[in-house]
Amino acid sequence: MSPTASEAAALAPLRGSSFAPAATVVSGLLASLLLLFLLAPLVGLVGAGGASGVRQLASDAELRGALALTLFTATAATFWAILGGTPLAYILARRRFTGRALVLAILDLPLVVPHPVAGIALLLVLGRASPLGSALLAAGLRLTGSPFGIVCAMLFVSAPLYVGGAREAFARVDRRYEAVARTLGDDAWRAFRRVTLPLSLRGLTAAAIVMWARAVSEFGAIVILTYNPKVASVLSYDRFTSTGLSGALPVAAVLVLLAIVPLAMLRALRRDD
Amino acid sequence: MIAVDGLTVRVGEFALDNVSFTVPNGAYGVVIGPAGAGKTTLLESIAGLLPLRSGRVTLGGADVTRLPPERRPVGLVYQHAYLFPHLTVRENVAYGARSAEDVEEVVDRFGLALVGDRDVTSLSGGERQLVALARALARRPAVLLLDEPFAALDPRSRAAVRREVRTMYFDRGCTVLHVTHDFEEAGLVGDVAILLDKGRLVQSGDPADLFRRPATPYVASFLGAENIYAGTARPIRAVSPDWSDAAQGQYAEHPLAFDTGSLTLYALGDAVPGRAHAILRAEDVMLSREAVASSVRNQFRGRVVEIVSAGALSKVTIDVSGTSIVSAVTTRAVQELGLERGREVVASFKATSVHIC
């Protein structure tokens, strides 16, 4: 894949910047070991279970259902993150206000909290024992054992990734584009729609893909709220605990293959930058 | 007309403080100042892009202080054009236009018809700036705000874009406020000059007046005066024709002697006697091999210590008893006078050329 312009600039070697031969060999070895460590399990997994996983898709209704539920709930969570996160990201990128640091810290929290803890926290606030949970239940939205709970868990742990990415995408658009649009007769909303949004669309799309991919792979928070119906990650865990490695392999391999799709989309977006 | 009254704006740590000036209807105003003076902040405040802490902005006779940018009759062109990269050249020009006729007019005027369908990222710096100008003008603004529109251009493109700006200004008759850090550019294009420094208005008025009669040594230095001397001014009685000639002219003020180092310069001015600065522009200093018989009051014999040539013009530094005098002459004159380091010459300049502040 060809590097982006900024990557190319960073890749251009500076004269006299080479390490000593021994240091080059050692650092090269360490880097290769790390790459191998990251790659080998995934390649092994796909090699061992990829083909059977794809074949199993035709016969295993539970696997198909889990995949469909995963894709649906991840997409729904991403939709809600875009809806609420886009204005938040824009404000964070464009305005300096009291409490901005606090908002940024709040957005970081779900990323550092262990995900089962996130599930427990959601259960506490949105569960049937809480006033909010009771209200939701009365409205027909049950947090436990439902797609709604899965969406909530995915949204909680993954939305900060969208907001962070979107904030960077907006920040990369010089505010003077908007300033020019304003002097050309656009009000703030029209300038956003006609200039800022098109210029940041690629970054926003990349942020949404990252969030979606993270939501697809979520397990810890979901398993606290909703063991059934099962998303793909919970199904792979369930198969592992009930039938062992051989049973979990095809599901896990399909999940890895599924992860390649957003990864490829992201690389394609960045290559066009 | 652009009238700014007591404008105070704060952007982060920077503040534009109590700035007031007026650019008459149809005039070309130039805001000059070093980097960080607040020039762009001033333009953005006039355009309504920044909230004011206090003050008033009047455009074309109407108070627009409370109006949002889209309701102000302004066009804004930044140094880096800020063409919308997702639109073609023609789409950029048409962005804020009120009619297709207006778009066609500026497209024709700026010769953009052939590049109308091009991606703006493929344009040269000069072309980009012309498109930005065309985009602003297609909306027919009464006031055009230009933020260093030539600064990022190579000399050839700069000349071309400057020519277009001047032609457009004369054609459209709109009021222009043009920001620059280049005092030579200010002298070339401006009717009214506004000098800013560190968020404050230092001096405003006729550019020629700013050049000839700077309010402070800082202004003089920023506007490129090479000879700035600290010393003492004292009043004297007029004794030579040089005085009487000048006394009938625009600087009809009292004669002064100005002592600096071992030199005494003669000047005309309204300066209060005492500690002061004398400002003398290099282009007002004439050089000759021998003293000339004329009414020129200031004549000093010295030795050439440095000659710096820049194309057709040269700057010659003369040492007169330990005090330097810089003269700007043509490179041809340097050759004709046979000037070289160590050569003895006479520097002469009129009392009216010496400004005491």
Side-chain angles (χ1 to χ4, degrees), chain A residues 59-141:
Chain A
S59 58
D60 189 338
E62 191 182 22
L63 175 57
R64 283 202 307 275
L67 280 175
L69 181 65
T70 306
L71 299 183
F72 168 74
T73 48
T75 305
T78 306
F79 171 78
W80 287 110
I82 290 170
L83 213 62
T86 306
L88 178 60
Y90 182 78
I91 290 166
L92 288 169
R94 284 284 188 264
R95 305 255 190 279
R96 297 287 174 270
F97 54 89
T98 312
R100 183 174 177 273
L102 182 67
V103 174
L104 289 171
I106 290 169
L107 286 167
D108 284 341
L109 260 181
L111 300 176
V112 294
V113 166
H115 287 191
V117 175
I120 292 167
L122 281 172
L123 200 58
L124 192 71
V125 176
L126 300 177
R128 70 182 68 179
S130 74
L132 192 56
S134 307
L136 286 172
L137 205 57
L141 294 169

Side-chain angles (χ1 to χ4, degrees), chain B residues 127-311:
Chain B
E127 287 172 330
R128 292 172 68 80
Q129 212 57 307
L130 285 180
V131 174
L133 201 58
R135 180 176 63 180
L137 289 171
R139 196 170 163 74
R140 295 195 165 274
V143 170
L144 188 63
L145 305 172
L146 305 173
D147 185 8
E148 307 232 20
F150 315 136
L153 305 181
D154 59 78
R156 210 166 123 190
S157 303
R158 187 178 304 163
V161 178
R162 182 186 286 141
R163 192 168 50 243
E164 290 299 341
V165 167
R166 289 299 285 177
T167 311
M168 166 280 303
Y169 163 66
F170 287 122
D171 285 355
R172 288 283 178 95
C174 56
T175 310
V176 177
L177 193 61
H178 174 154
V179 154
T180 179
H181 66 274
D182 182 347
F183 67 88
E184 286 180 357
E185 191 173 297
L188 282 173
V189 297
D191 299 321
V192 179
I194 296 129
L195 184 63
L196 282 184
D197 186 40
K198 294 174 187 159
R200 290 174 179 273
L201 180 77
V202 181
Q203 192 175 354
S204 68
D206 182 347
D209 215 29
L210 245 73
F211 275 77
R212 293 288 161 199
R213 303 175 55 120
T216 63
Y218 170 78
V219 175
S221 168
F222 182 76
L223 295 178
E226 292 84 354
N227 301 298
I228 302 172
Y229 305 105
T232 308
R234 55 188 163 83
I236 55 168
R237 222 163 56 83
V239 290
S240 82
D242 187 6
W243 301 122
S244 52
D245 286 354
Q248 291 161 16
Q250 58 178 321
Y251 302 125
E253 291 149 334
H254 58 269
L256 293 162
F258 184 86
D259 300 314
T260 175
S262 57
L263 298 187
T264 297
L265 310 180
Y266 295 98
L268 280 166
D270 54 4
V272 179
R275 298 293 300 167
H277 286 84
I279 315 294
L280 172 64
R281 296 196 68 85
E283 55 269 29
D284 291 333
V285 180
M286 292 170 290
L287 296 181
S288 55
R289 295 290 295 274
E290 299 298 334
V292 288
S294 79
S295 63
V296 173
R297 178 72 170 154
N298 295 291
Q299 287 206 42
F300 300 97
R301 188 170 289 278
R303 284 191 186 279
V304 175
V305 291
E306 188 184 44
I307 301 172
V308 179
S309 293

Side-chain angles (χ1 to χ4, degrees), chain A residues 174-177 179-188 190-191 194-195 198-199, chain B residues 40 44 47 49 68-70 74 76 78 82-86 95-96 135-136 139:
Chain A
D174 196 311
R175 70 169 187 84
R176 284 179 180 159
Y177 285 112
V180 170
R182 295 294 304 274
T183 62
L184 292 170
D186 282 355
D187 59 24
R190 207 168 137 85
R194 293 177 77 193
V195 175
L199 295 185
Chain B
T40 301
E44 291 185 337
L49 296 163
E70 62 271 19
V74 298
L76 175 62
Y78 281 113
Y82 288 98
L83 300 182
F84 304 129
H86 58 300
Y95 190 94
R135 180 176 63 180
R139 196 170 163 74

